[in-house]
Amino acid sequence: MEFTLQQIALMLGGELRGNGQQKVNMLGKIQDAKAGQIAFLANPKYEQYIYTTQATAVIVSRDFQAKKEVPAALILVDDPYLSFTVLLEEYHKMLSFQKTGVEQPSFTGAHFSAGKNLYQGAFSYIGQNVKVGDNVKIYPHVFIGDNVEIGSNTILHPNVKIYSGTRIGSQCEIHAGTVIGSDGFGFAPQEDGSYKTIPQLGNVIIEDNVSIGANTVIDCATMMGDATVIRKGVKLDNLIQIAHNVEVGKNTVIAAQAGVSGSSKIGENSMIAGQVGIAGHLVIANNTSIGAQAGISKSIKEEGQRLLGYPAIDIKEYFRCYAVFKRLPDINDRLRELEKRVGKPESIESNGHA
Amino acid sequence: MEFTLQQIALMLGGELRGNGQQKVNMLGKIQDAKAGQIAFLANPKYEQYIYTTQATAVIVSRDFQAKKEVPAALILVDDPYLSFTVLLEEYHKMLSFQKTGVEQPSFTGAHFSAGKNLYQGAFSYIGQNVKVGDNVKIYPHVFIGDNVEIGSNTILHPNVKIYSGTRIGSQCEIHAGTVIGSDGFGFAPQEDGSYKTIPQLGNVIIEDNVSIGANTVIDCATMMGDATVIRKGVKLDNLIQIAHNVEVGKNTVIAAQAGVSGSSKIGENSMIAGQVGIAGHLVIANNTSIGAQAGISKSIKEEGQRLLGYPAIDIKEYFRCYAVFKRLPDINDRLRELEKRVGKPESIESNGHA
Amino acid sequence: MEFTLQQIALMLGGELRGNGQQKVNMLGKIQDAKAGQIAFLANPKYEQYIYTTQATAVIVSRDFQAKKEVPAALILVDDPYLSFTVLLEEYHKMLSFQKTGVEQPSFTGAHFSAGKNLYQGAFSYIGQNVKVGDNVKIYPHVFIGDNVEIGSNTILHPNVKIYSGTRIGSQCEIHAGTVIGSDGFGFAPQEDGSYKTIPQLGNVIIEDNVSIGANTVIDCATMMGDATVIRKGVKLDNLIQIAHNVEVGKNTVIAAQAGVSGSSKIGENSMIAGQVGIAGHLVIANNTSIGAQAGISKSIKEEGQRLLGYPAIDIKEYFRCYAVFKRLPDINDRLRELEKRVGKPESIESNGHA
């Protein structure tokens, strides 16, 4: 990417102070940006750097009052941080979407249908009857099974594995090593103590605007016609386990290494922290917030709760209990002291309680 | 797959009511099956759907008494659910085993020996001196190191990575992204605070009828001649960690994101729930059941225990303790109140205890 | 590998008793080594095996006194175990480094620069402007993005995925399925409850002598110019989550399935056990030891602490508290008994406390 400052000022609806013909090709931090880069100043505590920065241009607030001479060109905007993220995004989009074409060798099954601007990396494998939208990016080593459909503008990073029958929406991004549609953990115990595998014939449906981190696993549903469903706008981090027949509600965010057991239904707009475990066949209400490492063993019916512990309880209550837990040896001593002073009934003394 | 109803009735030992020449090619749920599909009715609360289903045929119990006209053909059997799972399994087997042949490009090292009906997907990599049995399915992007042996009817899903020297039995299924035989975590501390890598030269042995989920990791044993061993019939879920020199006993089931540290030996017929952690060098008795997120830091000698907590104790005991834990602030208040009423000894009061 | 006993005695600075022209080509355990192998005897309880072993040679202590005839040749050294690990290491090095050359098909982008003895496996993918040192081993299915630099003697096992811009030092080893440089989990909440993706433009820097297990994930930093940093000598196990902008200090060891949240900084020479969770934006002092499954929610300022629990406290303190926790039902009973004997004040009784 390379833009003139004039182009950037136009893009951001900002006012330019300086030479509009200068070009920048990178974003940088104000304290270490170099010539050719553009930085921003939002937090006043970084103001010192604007007087020494080597950046070609700095995005600042419209009410910025320079106390000394500023070496860089300025672009004045309403909200410098917001404007910077707009640039970041543009930059990112350009990086992500600059790749098109089909690298060789790659493998494409019968009846493949793709929209415009497809990128299909070397060593990617596409099964039969696969259909993908416009601008889809399939990085190297991606595996796509038979009968998979993928919406427009979706990015599959290297080595994503999509089992047969999966549906993925538009504007999704799935990071390296993630597996979508593997068999759920279904085994029927037999009389001799062994287990018989229950075939898993459902699929996974991922709606639009879903982001999934690296090395996460989402199992398919058990029965044909059923699906494990990740609703619109869900954000899943790395190394997460989503078991068969789970549903994750709209705009819910799940942090790394959390796990959801089979057939549980997570509500919308919920926040599930790292390493949380959710048991199977539960229903978690909308707007639930679950703290790190908590274990959920019962359905959460009331919306808007914040939970912690195992089994999880109200987070404030958990901390009040834990505060006493940390003084338990003292409490034990005080209880003994009281017993000594009050005396104990015969029956208890004879049981050997001290 | 496509079967006539007559063929299916024969397969299930069922009695056919309807036109035996009709064909079905898919399984479906009674409430939303379409023409060409076969469904089942086992739970009476779904009976309403049998009168409106579009399925071509429904599997029902021999004592089913229709209250209205049924549009579908019927196949009467002793246990409709069981019969349906038999069909599921047949269907699954056909899906799994329909693939044969070698897709190109794939890479095969010297001295490769395979039984009949091999499927070797594109971009799969097979090292030297590899030997696989009949009907083995090696999906795309699978890596198999040197000197690996794999039994008959075993399926390696896309991107499974098998390090050199691994032995895998028959009728095993390993899901996408799983790594078998990576180096154990062995580092010897040096005087300067750094660590020296201890070479890991053992291997992994996986016996027959083992199922392993996606993105799980099983490390090899440390010493040459030693093995990390997964016994017959074990079922491992996704994202599990099995460290070097671990042994998992026959028919034991381990749920997602659990971890077993080096050299621990898990008994037979045990159930280990999700996110459980088991420390190193322990022996866990047969028939042990460990609840979600529990931490095991000592060997379990008595068989048949059910455990929870960290460090884990008897599950009922844990819940009794946790019930009081949730009332600790109240207990603390009551203790203070008692101390106020009884009075405290000088020595404690002077220490500032309130 | 094949060495004469004379060569091995020389390599270990040991004294040979037996025929120096005999050759060994494998290491084995004294109790089951075969002809052509070399074993060691360090622990006296294995002494019995030295009189029956089929090993061609055994490494023993200089002060070993045979009680019977020993069938094998002997190599006498100061510390048999240490000498054996030296051999192990040599053997391992030879195994690891015997592979060189470029297997086909593989994919190499423009401006690739490699030192001597490169191994580049089939189906590996190398992006543009990638630079690697001497003796680098790139196994099959490895993906390396654009502008990546890798030092000498580093091994990337099958299927390692390196995103663009990553820097990896010398003498590093990264196991199968690990992902380096995936996008951090950055999403800005919008007014309508949805999240907007914050582009992640930083990278990952891995210094020298770092080992990383299988299926681990290390996210890139958020801002351009920032990095997630893994310092010299760090050892990471399998299935670990390292979030964006984290720094792991020199020679710190992290066990399997632990997770570190965004922007936290772990000190040097620390030990973090399995399944530990560390919250974001924390600073953990040097020489900290964190026990299995602990949760760290505050910065650790004092060096050398040992911690456990959630939120973690001093490990001995935790065990003292937990010991009382396990007796909470009894404590509750004793408190009630005392209340019965002492009597309760009106105000509390009227609140319904029992």
Side-chain angles (χ1 to χ4, degrees):
Chain A
M1 107 168 176
E2 195 173 67
F3 291 111
T4 65
L5 296 186
Q6 206 158 41
Q7 286 173 316
I8 289 176
L10 211 67
M11 205 186 292
L12 301 177
E15 179 189 337
L16 176 69
R17 300 231 179 117
N19 174 2
Q21 298 317 305
Q22 289 181 91
K23 285 173 181 170
V24 291
N25 59 17
M26 277 260 280
L27 309 171
K29 291 191 299 178
I30 192 163
Q31 60 270 44
D32 43 43
K34 297 193 180 59
Q37 298 184 356
I38 183 165
F40 76 104
L41 173 63
N43 185 335
K45 80 175 185 190
Y46 287 94
E47 183 179 332
Q48 48 173 311
Y49 296 111
I50 202 169
Y51 306 114
T52 58
T53 185
Q54 296 176 42
T56 295
V58 180
I59 302 169
V60 296
S61 170
R62 287 193 203 275
D63 46 341
F64 170 71
Q65 303 279 359
K67 299 194 183 98
K68 308 186 208 168
E69 201 186 340
V70 173
L74 295 181
I75 295 174
L76 284 68
V77 298
D78 292 337
D79 180 339
Y81 179 68
L82 189 69
S83 291
F84 191 72
T85 62
V86 167
L87 277 192
L88 266 180
E89 210 167 317
E90 280 305 310
Y91 182 78
H92 185 62
K93 217 177 284 174
M94 279 171 14
L95 280 183
S96 299
F97 288 106
Q98 68 194 9
K99 289 208 169 200
T100 56
V102 179
E103 292 173 353
Q104 292 302 343
S106 54
F107 186 101
T108 308
H111 313 299
F112 176 54
S113 138
K116 60 184 184 191
N117 296 325
L118 174 72
Y119 168 60
Q120 187 183 348
F123 314 123
S124 60
Y125 184 101
I126 295 175
Q128 293 177 30
N129 302 313
V130 172
K131 192 177 168 185
V132 310
D134 291 342
N135 306 313
V136 166
K137 308 298 165 198
I138 298 169
Y139 274 80
H141 306 121
V142 165
F143 171 88
I144 301 177
D146 300 337
N147 306 310
V148 169
E149 282 184 26
I150 298 175
S152 295
N153 305 312
T154 284
I155 303 173
L156 304 181
H157 285 277
N159 188 40
V160 166
K161 305 292 160 189
I162 312 285
Y163 278 60
S164 297
T166 301
R167 297 275 172 282
I168 299 178
S170 298
Q171 281 86 245
C172 291
E173 184 162 12
I174 304 181
H175 280 279
T178 282
V179 174
I180 312 280
S182 42
D183 273 16
F185 198 54
F187 302 100
Q190 305 297 297
E191 282 185 14
D192 65 351
S194 72
Y195 291 85
K196 200 171 172 182
T197 300
I198 300 168
Q200 306 285 308
L201 298 170
N203 72 340
V204 175
I205 296 173
I206 294 174
E207 297 187 348
D208 297 344
N209 295 307
V210 169
S211 292
I212 305 178
N215 283 353
T216 277
V217 178
I218 302 178
D219 282 343
C220 68
T222 302
M223 295 286 289
M224 196 169 297
D226 280 352
T228 303
V229 184
I230 311 296
R231 295 279 174 218
K232 208 171 151 177
V234 165
K235 309 298 170 194
L236 302 181
D237 202 347
N238 305 322
L239 294 163
I240 287 172
Q241 152 76 353
I242 303 289
H244 63 89
N245 297 82
V246 162
E247 179 178 337
V248 181
K250 206 172 70 168
N251 294 329
T252 280
V253 172
I254 304 184
Q257 297 175 319
V260 184
S261 304
S263 302
S264 279
K265 190 173 164 167
I266 316 288
E268 303 182 356
N269 299 103
S270 293
M271 309 271 291
I272 296 172
Q275 299 181 338
V276 163
I278 296 178
H281 299 277
L282 305 184
V283 177
I284 310 293
N286 296 340
N287 298 305
T288 299
S289 170
I290 305 176
Q293 298 188 326
I296 307 295
S297 56
K298 287 184 187 159
S299 287
I300 308 299
K301 284 161 194 168
E302 194 190 323
E303 296 201 2
Q305 290 194 76
R306 300 180 60 216
L307 302 162
L308 197 63
Y310 180 74
I313 57 177
D314 175 76
I315 192 167
K316 282 188 192 156
E317 196 56 31
Y318 179 85
F319 281 123
R320 286 180 63 214
C321 297
Y322 194 73
V324 183
F325 170 87
K326 290 192 284 187
R327 288 183 289 133
L328 277 181
D330 172 53
I331 282 178
N332 194 34
D333 291 347
R334 285 157 58 200
L335 186 61
R336 272 194 204 149
E337 178 61 34
L338 273 174
E339 284 173 335
K340 219 182 290 172
R341 292 167 73 89
V342 172
K344 284 177 293 177
E346 299 300 309
S347 63
I348 290 185
E349 279 180 318
S350 64
N351 283 338
H353 285 260
Chain B
M1 105 164 176
E2 195 174 65
F3 290 111
T4 64
L5 296 187
Q6 208 158 40
Q7 286 173 317
I8 289 177
L10 211 67
M11 206 186 290
L12 301 177
E15 180 189 336
L16 174 68
R17 299 229 180 119
N19 175 0
Q21 298 317 306
Q22 289 181 89
K23 285 173 180 169
V24 291
N25 58 18
M26 276 260 280
L27 308 170
K29 291 193 299 180
I30 191 161
Q31 60 269 46
D32 44 43
K34 297 194 180 58
Q37 297 184 356
I38 183 165
F40 75 103
L41 173 63
N43 185 335
K45 79 175 183 187
Y46 288 94
E47 183 180 330
Q48 47 172 314
Y49 296 111
I50 201 170
Y51 306 113
T52 57
T53 186
Q54 296 177 43
T56 295
V58 181
I59 301 170
V60 295
S61 170
R62 286 192 204 274
D63 46 341
F64 170 70
Q65 304 280 358
K67 299 193 185 98
K68 305 188 212 169
E69 202 187 339
V70 173
L74 296 181
I75 294 174
L76 284 69
V77 297
D78 292 338
D79 181 338
Y81 179 69
L82 188 69
S83 290
F84 191 72
T85 63
V86 167
L87 278 192
L88 267 179
E89 210 166 315
E90 280 306 310
Y91 183 78
H92 186 62
K93 216 177 283 172
M94 280 172 14
L95 280 182
S96 299
F97 287 107
Q98 68 194 9
K99 288 206 169 200
T100 57
V102 179
E103 293 173 353
Q104 291 303 345
S106 54
F107 185 101
T108 308
H111 313 299
F112 176 55
S113 138
K116 59 185 182 188
N117 297 325
L118 174 72
Y119 168 60
Q120 186 183 347
F123 314 123
S124 60
Y125 184 102
I126 296 175
Q128 293 177 31
N129 302 312
V130 171
K131 192 177 167 184
V132 310
D134 291 340
N135 306 313
V136 166
K137 309 298 165 197
I138 297 169
Y139 274 80
H141 306 121
V142 165
F143 171 89
I144 300 177
D146 299 338
N147 307 310
V148 169
E149 281 185 25
I150 298 175
S152 296
N153 305 312
T154 284
I155 303 174
L156 304 180
H157 285 277
N159 188 40
V160 166
K161 306 292 160 188
I162 313 284
Y163 278 60
S164 297
T166 302
R167 297 275 172 282
I168 299 178
S170 298
Q171 281 85 244
C172 291
E173 184 161 10
I174 304 182
H175 279 279
T178 282
V179 174
I180 313 280
S182 42
D183 273 16
F185 197 55
F187 302 101
Q190 306 297 296
E191 282 185 14
D192 66 351
S194 71
Y195 291 86
K196 200 169 173 182
T197 300
I198 299 168
Q200 305 286 308
L201 298 171
N203 72 340
V204 176
I205 296 174
I206 294 174
E207 297 187 347
D208 298 343
N209 295 307
V210 169
S211 291
I212 305 179
N215 283 353
T216 277
V217 178
I218 302 177
D219 281 344
C220 69
T222 302
M223 294 286 288
M224 196 168 296
D226 280 352
T228 304
V229 184
I230 311 296
R231 294 279 175 218
K232 208 172 150 175
V234 165
K235 309 299 170 192
L236 302 181
D237 202 346
N238 305 321
L239 294 162
I240 288 171
Q241 153 75 353
I242 303 288
H244 62 90
N245 298 81
V246 162
E247 179 178 338
V248 180
K250 206 171 71 169
N251 294 330
T252 280
V253 172
I254 304 184
Q257 296 176 319
V260 185
S261 304
S263 302
S264 279
K265 191 175 164 167
I266 316 288
E268 303 181 356
N269 299 102
S270 294
M271 309 271 291
I272 296 173
Q275 299 181 337
V276 163
I278 296 177
H281 299 277
L282 305 185
V283 177
I284 310 293
N286 296 341
N287 299 304
T288 299
S289 169
I290 305 176
Q293 297 188 327
I296 307 294
S297 57
K298 286 184 188 160
S299 287
I300 308 299
K301 284 162 193 168
E302 195 190 323
E303 297 201 1
Q305 290 194 77
R306 300 180 59 216
L307 303 162
L308 196 64
Y310 180 76
I313 56 177
D314 175 76
I315 192 167
K316 282 187 193 155
E317 197 55 32
Y318 180 84
F319 281 123
R320 285 181 63 213
C321 296
Y322 194 72
V324 183
F325 170 85
K326 289 192 285 188
R327 287 184 288 134
L328 278 180
D330 171 54
I331 283 177
N332 195 33
D333 291 346
R334 285 158 60 199
L335 187 62
R336 272 194 203 150
E337 177 63 31
L338 274 174
E339 284 172 334
K340 219 183 289 170
R341 292 167 73 90
V342 172
K344 284 178 293 176
E346 300 300 309
S347 63
I348 289 187
E349 279 181 318
S350 66
N351 282 340
H353 285 260
Chain C
M1 105 169 176
E2 194 174 67
F3 291 110
T4 64
L5 296 186
Q6 206 158 40
Q7 286 172 316
I8 288 176
L10 211 67
M11 206 187 290
L12 302 177
E15 179 189 337
L16 175 68
R17 300 231 179 117
N19 174 2
Q21 297 317 305
Q22 289 181 89
K23 286 173 180 168
V24 290
N25 59 17
M26 277 260 279
L27 309 171
K29 292 192 297 179
I30 191 162
Q31 60 269 47
D32 44 42
K34 298 193 180 58
Q37 298 185 357
I38 183 166
F40 76 104
L41 173 63
N43 185 334
K45 79 176 184 187
Y46 288 95
E47 185 180 329
Q48 47 172 312
Y49 296 112
I50 202 169
Y51 305 114
T52 58
T53 186
Q54 296 177 42
T56 295
V58 180
I59 302 169
V60 295
S61 170
R62 288 193 202 274
D63 45 344
F64 170 71
Q65 304 279 358
K67 300 193 184 96
K68 307 186 210 167
E69 201 188 338
V70 172
L74 296 181
I75 295 173
L76 284 69
V77 298
D78 292 338
D79 181 339
Y81 179 69
L82 189 69
S83 291
F84 191 71
T85 63
V86 168
L87 278 192
L88 266 179
E89 210 167 316
E90 280 305 311
Y91 182 78
H92 185 64
K93 217 178 283 173
M94 280 172 14
L95 279 183
S96 299
F97 287 106
Q98 67 195 9
K99 288 207 169 200
T100 57
V102 179
E103 293 172 353
Q104 291 304 343
S106 54
F107 185 102
T108 308
H111 312 299
F112 176 54
S113 138
K116 60 184 184 191
N117 296 326
L118 173 72
Y119 168 60
Q120 187 184 345
F123 314 124
S124 60
Y125 184 102
I126 295 175
Q128 292 177 30
N129 302 312
V130 171
K131 192 178 168 185
V132 311
D134 291 341
N135 306 312
V136 165
K137 308 298 165 199
I138 298 169
Y139 274 81
H141 306 120
V142 165
F143 170 89
I144 300 177
D146 299 338
N147 306 310
V148 169
E149 282 184 26
I150 299 174
S152 296
N153 305 312
T154 283
I155 303 174
L156 304 180
H157 285 277
N159 188 40
V160 166
K161 306 291 160 188
I162 313 285
Y163 278 60
S164 296
T166 302
R167 297 274 173 282
I168 299 177
S170 298
Q171 283 84 246
C172 291
E173 184 161 12
I174 304 182
H175 280 279
T178 282
V179 174
I180 313 281
S182 42
D183 274 16
F185 198 54
F187 301 100
Q190 305 298 296
E191 282 184 16
D192 66 352
S194 71
Y195 291 85
K196 200 169 171 181
T197 300
I198 299 168
Q200 305 286 308
L201 298 170
N203 72 340
V204 176
I205 296 174
I206 294 173
E207 297 187 348
D208 298 343
N209 296 307
V210 169
S211 292
I212 304 179
N215 283 354
T216 277
V217 178
I218 302 177
D219 282 343
C220 69
T222 302
M223 293 288 288
M224 196 169 295
D226 280 352
T228 304
V229 184
I230 311 295
R231 296 280 175 216
K232 208 172 151 176
V234 165
K235 309 298 170 194
L236 302 181
D237 202 347
N238 305 322
L239 293 163
I240 287 172
Q241 152 76 353
I242 302 289
H244 61 90
N245 297 82
V246 162
E247 179 178 338
V248 181
K250 204 171 71 169
N251 295 329
T252 280
V253 173
I254 304 184
Q257 296 176 318
V260 184
S261 304
S263 301
S264 279
K265 191 175 164 167
I266 316 287
E268 303 181 356
N269 299 102
S270 293
M271 309 271 290
I272 296 173
Q275 299 181 336
V276 162
I278 296 177
H281 298 276
L282 305 184
V283 177
I284 310 292
N286 296 341
N287 300 304
T288 299
S289 169
I290 305 176
Q293 297 188 325
I296 307 295
S297 57
K298 286 185 186 158
S299 288
I300 308 299
K301 284 163 193 167
E302 194 190 324
E303 296 201 1
Q305 292 194 75
R306 300 180 60 216
L307 303 162
L308 197 64
Y310 180 76
I313 57 178
D314 174 77
I315 192 167
K316 282 187 194 154
E317 197 55 31
Y318 179 84
F319 281 122
R320 285 181 63 213
C321 296
Y322 194 72
V324 183
F325 170 86
K326 289 192 285 188
R327 287 183 288 133
L328 278 180
D330 172 53
I331 283 176
N332 194 33
D333 291 346
R334 285 157 59 200
L335 187 61
R336 272 193 204 150
E337 177 62 33
L338 274 173
E339 284 172 335
K340 219 182 289 173
R341 292 167 72 89
V342 172
K344 285 177 293 178
E346 299 300 309
S347 63
I348 288 187
E349 279 180 319
S350 65
N351 281 339
H353 284 259

